[in-house]
Amino acid sequence: MSQYRTFTVADAVEYARQYGQMPDPQALVSADEIGDGNLNLVFKIRDRARISRVIVKQALPYVRCVGESWPLTLDRARIEAETLLIHGALCSHHTVRVLHHDPELAVMVQEDLSDHHIWRSELMKGHYYPQAVGQLAEYLAQTLFHTSDFYQAAQAKKAEVSRFTNPELCQITEDLFFTDPYHDHERNQFDDVLLPHVTVLRKDTALKLAVAGLKHRFLSKAEALLHGDIHSGSIFVAEGRLKAIDAEFGFYGPIGFDVGTALGNLLLNYCGLPGLLGPREATDCREQRLLDVRELWLTFAGRFLSLCQQHSRDVTLATPGYAEQFLQQVWQDAVGYGGTELIRRTIGLAHVADLDSIADPEMRAECQRSALNLGRTLIVNAAQVEHVDALLARIRQHG
Ligand code: SR1
Ligand code: MG
């Protein structure tokens, strides 16, 4: 059995030679550590021509963006690899390929996606990938339907819920999404200029009540094996292609959480675009983002419903009309969770470049306030926003 040690660049190259499934392993000669996320080491393993051929990813025993003072389970590497393997079996076109993983070393070897781009960076530049939203909807529908009670046998699903119990990573989400932003907590980060806004938000009883409901459902609704962190930085795109990566937050949770995280990131981009591109230049891209929100929900719901109609295995859940009723609850959850993503990415610990990289401080603050207001609107009104077109109408009203 291998014993955990933190990989050096040389270790990563050697590991990739052994487990990278390369026809010419000795061609792998160098590596760069490129991890810029919050948690892990990520090595790009290169050949003599410096072409990146494979990725080695290793979990550190602590939260990278904070340091060793915040220890974190290495079991997340197992969860990530096993989630991606399951999602890959269900939706191979849109899930990064895992070539090998070792839970003891907390390491995974995965396909290189250097011919793709991180979707967030593309959205920030106003680059449009016409198929991306439909492909993301397909990924969400396939993975969430096939791991839900509509499809999995009840006893097998319960065993899976246990295999994917991910308490430490779930606690990060529980704290960062639903608790910290609504309290004075040292992990929160925001410019002083937002303090008046944050103070109002923390006294907002209707908002805090709705967030309590969302947290409770996150804690208790084991509906399907979620990606758990499907923001636009966890998605690679290229012309006609899309792949989800980074599933260490995978667990059985509410389907609306994955859908809402994806919607929330489109809306974070919508809020940031005036600061990123200029208010006038951003108009068309913003309109496209709203159309993206519409397409994401309608394609996801349509796909999920047709999977329910054709492949539901539970005779009771297959009762005509039940899948539609269930999807209405998923929609309302998704609107609320989307709102929590907007708020936590603006004033919590982990921000997004769509807002933080806006150079002009006044413009940045304006876009951040717009994200906070929109987040609140979504959370408080989720139960009344019955259809995606009603949501778009509210967003347009919001400005
Ligand atoms: C301490 S981890 C902070 C955030 O990074 C991850 O990507 C998740 O979004 C998490 O909430
Ligand atoms: Mg991640």
Side-chain angles (χ1 to χ4, degrees), residues 187-388:
R187 279 188 295 241
N188 290 326
Q189 290 176 27
F190 53 86
D191 294 336
D192 288 347
V193 66
L194 290 183
L195 189 57
H197 224 81
V198 172
T199 309
V200 170
L201 191 133
R202 288 187 185 149
K203 291 186 183 141
D204 188 330
T205 318
L207 175 66
K208 291 172 79 164
L209 202 55
V211 171
L214 289 161
K215 180 172 186 179
H216 196 185
R217 296 200 283 288
F218 182 87
L219 287 161
S220 55
K221 253 192 183 183
E223 290 178 342
L225 177 58
L226 309 189
H227 176 285
D229 194 26
I230 190 77
H231 58 83
S232 53
S234 294
I235 295 170
F236 272 99
V237 290
E239 238 22 88
R241 289 178 283 163
L242 174 141
K243 295 237 179 190
I245 61 164
D246 270 8
E248 66 237 276
F249 285 80
F251 81 114
Y252 272 77
I255 289 176
F257 182 78
D258 262 6
V259 179
T261 301
L263 291 175
N265 276 269
L266 291 173
L267 293 173
L268 280 161
N269 181 261
Y270 172 84
C271 293
L273 279 170
L276 294 167
L277 303 182
R280 212 171 308 148
E281 295 80 350
T283 311
D284 291 350
C285 284
R286 295 188 94 206
E287 184 53 30
Q288 184 58 54
R289 260 335 61 77
L290 296 188
L291 297 179
D292 290 346
V293 165
R294 188 172 194 279
E295 184 188 348
L296 182 62
W297 171 254
L298 292 179
T299 309
F300 166 78
R303 260 334 251 131
F304 195 95
L305 187 59
S306 92
L307 288 166
C308 287
Q309 286 162 347
Q310 289 168 34
H311 301 291
S312 282
R313 288 174 165 173
D314 184 284
V315 74
T316 310
L317 301 194
T319 301
Y322 179 68
E324 288 87 340
Q325 196 179 303
F326 174 73
L327 275 166
Q328 193 55 29
Q329 288 168 22
V330 172
W331 165 247
Q332 286 174 355
D333 278 354
V335 173
Y337 288 123
T340 59
E341 176 72 342
L342 280 157
I343 291 180
R344 74 107 177 190
R345 293 292 194 184
T346 309
I347 58 170
L349 170 71
H351 287 210
V352 287
D354 310 59
L355 295 173
D356 278 27
S357 69
I358 298 169
D360 177 62
E362 272 179 36
M363 191 48 142
R364 187 169 62 243
E366 200 177 313
C367 293
Q368 289 171 330
R369 279 192 288 267
S370 141
L372 291 177
N373 288 336
L374 181 56
R376 182 197 182 272
T377 299
L378 264 53
I379 295 170
V380 171
N381 296 296
Q384 285 80 51
V385 181
E386 289 198 347
H387 190 269
V388 68

